[in-house]
């Protein structure tokens, strides 16, 4: 089994920011992602309890290094001031490189 | 029953008491909470029930009676939204984004408030016109569309001014105004396909088609369980409102007053206008409530995307933490007293004159 | 009421209308959705209600009346499954895996379809034999077990042929056929302990034990709320069916026709046979519906494990997106008209002759 | 109806049968399960219904009647908790943590058990005193507070002894006893704001305020659906109890006997004392049930934080897997027979003597 | 605090594939895992909405390097063609090695 | 886009241990976290089905190396014997260091 190094981008943000993020993915032809609801605390206080619209989500995307930078740059530029959002990158190994863009 | 008795008898209904209970629950930091799936389902259920009921009634009364109230409601809603904006921007000194967001939050309608109103009237043994559900559906997206349109206009103007000073940024601004236009189209689509409107309109149509007969097999679920379902939902609404109470400091004195005075003003105008238009005692109360209510479920969903620069803590907290409790506990009985008074007393003559004059 | 009137009066019930509403909701890409917890709970509730009802009726009628219909239903279900396979494999040119998966999807039964049928009869003021719930429970795993057995046989045969050509692979194939055998045992266990069967059989037994008396304290929940609950569930089913509509291109013309013709054929045979067996008007409709219905909740759960090579988009889309709507909107009134006709008209004499001849 | 008939007629109610069904479901490893959101919502609903009912009744009877039973229940609950501890520590040889945890689990009350009791009496056509809901609310946190207090005392003593031997560890121990004190305060807060108590007390107060009249609009939800809701909840309870049955080996023979004998003892004492205090047939059964019941929802939530050293598998398994089924299937009919007997027969004279003597 | 390097295997797949994965774990005596429901988009389209059986899950397992290869190999061989599935490996540090196999 | 290396601490534990963990975070002024419900199997058997109190959760926290050690040490010392709990650390890259403590 050989694992090819690639990147995992993890974004934690308010649920109403999800649409914007998926739009950015589409713009850069990032087709795969995984997401789920979480609760969390950050600089904007406790989130994820109460109204549906107040929930937090995590979005995870296996992504090539080149696209990573474009996507992160656009998210940071267009969303960081107005939304509760946090992101980080980690190194992972995958089996087949062709599956992820 | 005079007004004080009424406010007291309204305070002491299960709906209001369980709402207050929810607030207390949140304040003492209890871990009580209605599971998400239930509190997400209940508004859908309530709107389906309201819609079915409205549709069935419209089958009896026809569409023509609806026209005038609908158009007047639309006009008032737009007028009020603009009025809110002026007050917030000039008197309140809010920035342009917060002003538009708040203006439309209070220009829009609250489906939960409407449900409570229906239940309140039920409790008083009074009915209301079925087509009010249709007006609810039409008003819901209206104020947002106006606010977003105006915000986009304002932002474009700002950008154009900047454009004049920095000639080099042209390309970027063009992209932005392109985004703006597509945004508006998207918002229109999203507003009209939003779940509240879809279930409400769908149920009105279905209610209209099936009538009393077709409804009988599901009336136990969509009619008899209604008040109990609202009670459960209001526990959760109370909990959330209670959690928001701490943020009222952030809201400030100006907005707190706004959140009480504006609904009162809009609501009373609504009751008076509806009475002139010939609506029943209950119908006039519901018409007033539509205009008095602020949106706290639909608003964040729309405004976070369309005016992301506005602070949600302002518009959610004031609408849910202040206006909603005020509306269902205080304003509803006020409007009911007013409506009963002008419908029953001799003052009705005055209105007849006005009506005759207008038609 | 003639057939066109019936199909119209059936189209205009809350159940069908809310299902169509769900489809539209999905097509306009609204964000309306019934929360998962609710839509996972509703089938459990519906099956419990059906089971209790069936059990209570069986207490009155005893078991012997059930025997013949049960055996005939089993025989027909197996026959139909084999028939589907031949059609799909030979005429449809589907591969062996898709053929078996589809054959058993249409040989199996749909509990949701059954619920809608019960409600439909209720609406027509017609009742049906209680033991049909027991037949539902028995038929549910049957077609799968047959299909899996046959698939495994076919795969083993293929492997053995390969084995002859490549002597060296022996050990691996032995492991595989070992896996196959344990697979079948596992599938049997899983089928019989699957939640639908368990709640259905359990409720039948409990209904049988408690009878009308014991049921009275829970009849409001398990009887009176039934139709309302189905309505809510069908909103979600409509939404999911609507999302699937886009995939119909993938399904292709052959399978689309199959998804309409086969249920019609199976259902009509079912109605006729049930009438011969002496079932009531309503019972014959439900018997036909059992054979006409395709499984879209149980099927994926079983088939993904047992025939993972088959494409789920084929069998889910055709069963849920085509056959289910067709069954509840069109075929149900057809079968009801047919059943009423052959039960009431003089043609019944013919059947009496056949019955006398057979016994 | 004699005792065997009663236990049989109790076994054959929907509630008990669906509970047994749940156990079987778990034993055959079916994937049936009530979605989390539903099974989290149902206890809230049940407690709201119990509280409303209790509050409405208390409005009729006043508070004074409640005083003596409340104080006696508190005293018995504390006494029993201490008694359990002695038995577990001395006879059972459990360590100090497990002993306190188990002692308080059985000294506390079970809200679900209480709901089943209410339904059982309903089924028998017997009512009970409304204030028992208030006693339920007060007893709920009591045994825990006592157990935590005693555990902390014991731990402090142990630490102090160690301190004497190892002079150097002083500072650390001081921190620990500081933690202990703040812990107790926190536990008090958490117990009193725990969701069960909050919804129960809130509903009692609301029931008291609204009375029969205010209740009528929500009685279909909070009264008529009650038994059906319990049935659904007991399916899930049965499943969980069934999953626990495998752990009974871990529980051991001693604790298994304890889990049956102690509730029987406590419950019978409860029935006798309540009869002396003048409670009705049904009221005495519920009073006995309060003392007999063990806590399996609140207990883990409190004990994991306050006595984390205790093994949850012990106290959850015995309370939910053994005592709960025993209580609702066997002990409830026993107590009902006993209560009917001593209320109706001449033996009542004896009690009158005792009562006269005591007052 | 010393952290010992080990592997985290993350599998995202359709819910009906879970049983197969857990069976493979059992086969290689991998006793611990954590899993939860997610929604996601991949080569097989959007998943996790609608029918219960259409959901996606993530399964995470802290695992030694040796077992990792066997497990991944078997998953790839038996499941990649028939199921919606994606997996990746990352490096993590744990406190005690003896707890994970 | 420059990513600054920092740590991600992931804790999987029984739901009733969450309070203790958040208390430890507060003690060390770790203000942000993300958490969600999971099911899992470990040395204490299968968890996350049945009673609400039996659920498992994951808590994830982006944290500086210094605080990491204190937090992990305290969790290990006060909770490992009494609770179902597992934790691991991984390397991640974030955009702005000032946001995480
Ligand atoms: N240090 C952290 N570790 C883990 N998650 C965090 C952290 N800070 C923030 N988050 C998550 O990111 C969301 C948005 O963060 P913020 O914009 O800071 O409120 C929060 O609601 C948390 O779910
Ligand atoms: N690039 C990606 N990043 C994150 N998750 C992915 C990615 N591609 C696929 N997935 C997840 O893996 C599941 C199965 O993928 P697939 O087999 O490609 O449909 C999807 O439903 C997603 O949840
Ligand atoms: N090897 C593992 N990989 C992933 N998660 C694990 C592993 N071992 C344990 N867990 C998770 O940690 C929780 C507590 O573990 P334990 O204390 O060993 O029962 C379990 O319920 C799982 O959710
Ligand atoms: Na308004
Ligand atoms: Na069939
Ligand atoms: Na007790």
């Amino acid at each position: 089994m050989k694992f090819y190094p690639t990147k995992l981008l993890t974004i934690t943000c308010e649920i109403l920011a999800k649409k914007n993020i998926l739009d950015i993915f589409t713009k850069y032809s990032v087709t795969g992602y995984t997401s789920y609801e979480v609760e969390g605390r950050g600089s904007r206080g406790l989130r994820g309890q109460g109204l549906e619209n107040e929930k937090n989500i995590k979005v995870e995307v296996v992504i090539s290094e080149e696209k990573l930078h474009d996507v992160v740059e656009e998210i940071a530029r267009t969303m960081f001031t107005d939304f509760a959002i946090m992101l980080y990158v980690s190194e992972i190994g995958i089996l087949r490189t062709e599956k992820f863009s | 029953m005079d007004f004080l008795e009424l406010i007291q008898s309204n305070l002491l209904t299960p709906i209001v008491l369980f709402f207050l209970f929810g607030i207390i629950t949140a304040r003492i930091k209890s871990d009580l909470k209605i599971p998400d799936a239930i509190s997400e389902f209940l508004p859908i259920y309530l709107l389906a029930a309201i819609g079915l009921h409205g549709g069935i009634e419209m089958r009896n009364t026809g569409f023509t009676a609806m026209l005038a109230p609908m158009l007047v409601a639309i006009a008032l809603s737009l007028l009020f939204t603009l009025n809110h904006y002026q007050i917030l921007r000039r008197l309140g000194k809010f920035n342009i984004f917060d002003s538009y967001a708040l203006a439309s939050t209070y220009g829009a309608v609250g489906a939960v408030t409407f449900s409570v109103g229906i239940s309140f009237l039920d409790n008083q043994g009074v009915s209301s016109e079925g087509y009010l559900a249709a007006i609810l559906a039409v008003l819901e997206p209206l104020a947002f569309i106006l606010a977003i349109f105006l915000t986009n206009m304002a932002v474009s103007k700002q950008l154009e001014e900047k454009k004049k000073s920095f000639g080099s940024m042209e390309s970027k601004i063009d992209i932005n105004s392109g985004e703006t236009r597509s945004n508006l189209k998207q918002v229109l689509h999203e507003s009209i396909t939003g779940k509240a409107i879809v279930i409400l309109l769908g149920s009105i149509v279905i209610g209209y088609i099936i009538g009393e007969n077709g409804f009988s097999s599901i009336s136990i679920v969509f009619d008899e369980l209604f008040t109990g379902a609202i009670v459960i939902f209001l526990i959760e609404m109370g909990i959330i409102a209670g959690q928001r109470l701490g943020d009222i400091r952030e809201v400030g004195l100006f907005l707190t007053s706004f959140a009480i005075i504006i609904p009162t003003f809009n609501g009373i105008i609504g009751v008076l206008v509806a009475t002139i238009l010939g609506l029943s005692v209950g119908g006039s109360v519901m018409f007033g409530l539509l205009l008095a209510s602020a949106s706290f479920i639909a608003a964040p969903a729309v405004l976070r995307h369309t005016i992301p620069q506005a602070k949600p803590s302002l518009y959610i907290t004031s609408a849910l933490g202040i206006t909603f409790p005020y509306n269902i506990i205080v304003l509803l009985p006020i409007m009911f007293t007013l409506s009963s008074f002008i419908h029953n007393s001799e003052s009705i003559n005055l209105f007849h004159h006005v009506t005759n004059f207008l038609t």
Side-chain angles (χ1 to χ4, degrees), chain A, chain B:
Chain A
M1 289 281 95
K2 172 140 181 51
F3 293 105
Y4 300 88
T6 187
K7 301 286 179 183
L8 175 72
L9 169 62
T10 303
I11 304 159
T12 310
C13 63
E14 56 176 302
I15 199 166
L16 292 176
K18 183 178 178 183
K19 229 186 126 326
N20 305 39
I21 288 175
L22 297 192
D23 284 350
I24 293 174
F25 286 176
T26 309
K27 185 166 163 191
Y28 293 100
S29 322
V30 175
T31 51
Y33 71 84
T34 299
S35 92
Y36 45 100
E37 288 179 7
V38 298
E39 68 161 70
R41 184 185 281 283
S43 55
R44 305 195 187 216
L46 192 64
R47 299 188 53 87
Q49 300 183 316
L51 292 172
E52 202 182 340
N53 289 323
E54 310 262 296
K55 283 180 187 158
N56 267 14
I57 53 154
K58 270 177 76 179
V59 182
E60 295 168 343
V61 48
V62 177
I63 193 170
S64 65
E65 180 122 26
E66 306 89 71
K67 287 199 178 174
L68 173 71
H69 285 266
D70 291 343
V71 166
V72 169
E73 189 277 330
E74 174 130 359
I75 290 176
R77 183 171 47 79
T78 61
M79 300 178 62
F80 269 26
T81 47
D82 295 331
F83 290 96
I85 191 167
M86 185 199 77
L87 62 79
Y88 56 79
V89 180
S90 41
E91 306 278 337
I92 57 166
I94 55 171
L95 284 184
R96 297 167 302 181
T97 45
E98 72 276 16
K99 220 187 153 185
F100 304 97
S101 43
Chain B
M1 208 189 289
D2 71 8
F3 173 63
L4 264 180
E5 262 178 56
L6 188 74
I7 202 172
Q8 190 186 2
S9 94
N10 183 42
L11 249 176
L12 305 186
T13 59
I15 291 180
V16 170
L17 288 171
F18 271 106
F19 179 71
L20 295 176
F21 164 73
I23 292 181
I24 294 169
T25 296
R27 300 316 295 166
I28 62 173
K29 297 195 185 308
S30 167
D31 62 345
L32 180 68
K33 110 168 234 50
I34 306 296
D36 288 351
I38 309 287
S39 50
E40 281 162 28
F41 174 65
L42 284 171
I44 298 171
Y45 162 80
L46 295 175
L47 288 168
I50 289 172
L52 285 169
H53 198 259
I56 293 170
E57 300 244 320
M58 281 168 72
R59 189 188 170 100
N60 303 328
T61 56
F63 289 103
T64 44
M66 183 173 87
L67 250 177
M70 172 77 84
L71 292 175
V72 172
I74 291 174
L76 283 177
S77 168
L78 295 178
L79 261 171
F80 286 167
T81 303
L82 295 174
N83 182 40
H84 303 158
Y85 176 74
Q86 296 302 331
I87 293 173
L88 290 158
R89 189 93 179 93
R90 310 216 162 171
L91 296 183
K93 308 283 176 218
F94 285 98
N95 70 36
I96 186 168
F97 302 113
D98 287 333
S99 298
Y100 273 125
L102 280 162
S104 60
T105 298
Y106 280 86
V109 290
V112 178
T113 316
F114 192 86
S115 309
V116 176
I118 294 277
S119 229
F120 171 86
L121 290 183
D122 231 55
N123 213 32
Q124 307 291 338
V126 169
S127 71
S128 63
E129 282 78 4
Y131 57 69
L132 286 159
I135 298 185
L136 172 65
V138 172
L139 288 195
E140 152 100 17
L142 206 69
F144 295 121
I145 292 170
L146 179 68
I148 292 152
F149 182 74
L150 293 175
T151 317
N152 284 339
M153 293 271 288
V155 172
S156 301
K157 222 162 65 190
Q158 282 187 338
L159 284 172
E160 233 153 280
E161 274 159 28
K162 279 196 196 155
K163 195 170 146 178
K164 279 176 200 146
S165 17
F166 312 89
S168 62
M169 275 176 70
E170 254 173 83
S171 58
K172 192 157 177 212
I173 286 161
D174 281 352
I175 290 169
N176 269 324
S177 65
E179 270 174 16
T180 295
R181 237 171 294 128
S182 78
N183 241 5
L184 194 64
K185 215 179 108 198
Q186 215 179 34
V187 166
L188 259 165
H189 179 258
E190 266 168 43
S191 296
I192 292 165
T193 63
K195 57 185 154 198
I197 294 181
V198 165
I199 186 76
L200 190 54
L201 283 183
S203 304
I204 291 174
V205 171
I206 293 175
Y208 190 90
I209 297 173
I210 60 177
E212 291 284 359
N213 274 349
F215 187 62
S216 63
S217 65
I218 56 171
S219 79
I220 181 160
V221 167
F222 288 101
D223 184 16
E224 297 180 37
L225 300 183
F226 189 75
T227 307
I230 282 199
V231 159
I232 293 164
F233 189 56
L234 284 204
I235 296 176
E236 183 67 17
M237 285 296 104
I239 292 173
I240 297 172
Q243 288 166 346
R244 291 266 158 195
L245 279 192
D247 300 347
I248 281 196
R249 252 160 302 148
E250 248 181 89
V251 166
L253 192 67
F254 181 85
L255 191 48
T256 304
S257 318
F258 179 93
I260 286 177
I261 295 169
I262 286 296
T264 313
F265 176 80
N266 294 359
I268 287 176
I269 300 273
V271 173
L272 297 178
V273 168
T275 308
I276 296 174
L277 289 168
L279 274 78
S280 66
V281 176
S284 301
V285 173
M286 293 309 296
F287 194 93
L289 194 60
L290 274 174
L291 295 168
S293 67
S295 167
F296 50 85
I297 293 184
V302 175
L303 295 175
R304 283 309 276 151
H305 285 128
T306 51
I307 318 184
Q309 305 91 337
K311 282 183 280 305
S313 58
L314 287 187
Y315 53 81
I316 302 178
T317 305
S318 57
L320 176 58
I322 304 170
T323 303
F324 178 63
Y326 172 74
N327 275 350
I328 66 171
I329 299 175
V330 181
L331 189 58
L332 200 47
I334 290 180
M335 293 193 301
F336 185 72
T337 312
L338 178 66
S339 180
S340 308
F341 180 73
I342 59 180
H343 275 82
N344 301 328
S345 76
E346 308 215 304
S347 65
I348 210 162
N349 294 328
L350 174 70
F351 284 95
H352 270 200
H353 283 298
V354 180
T355 326
N356 289 335
F357 180 81
L358 286 172
T359 54

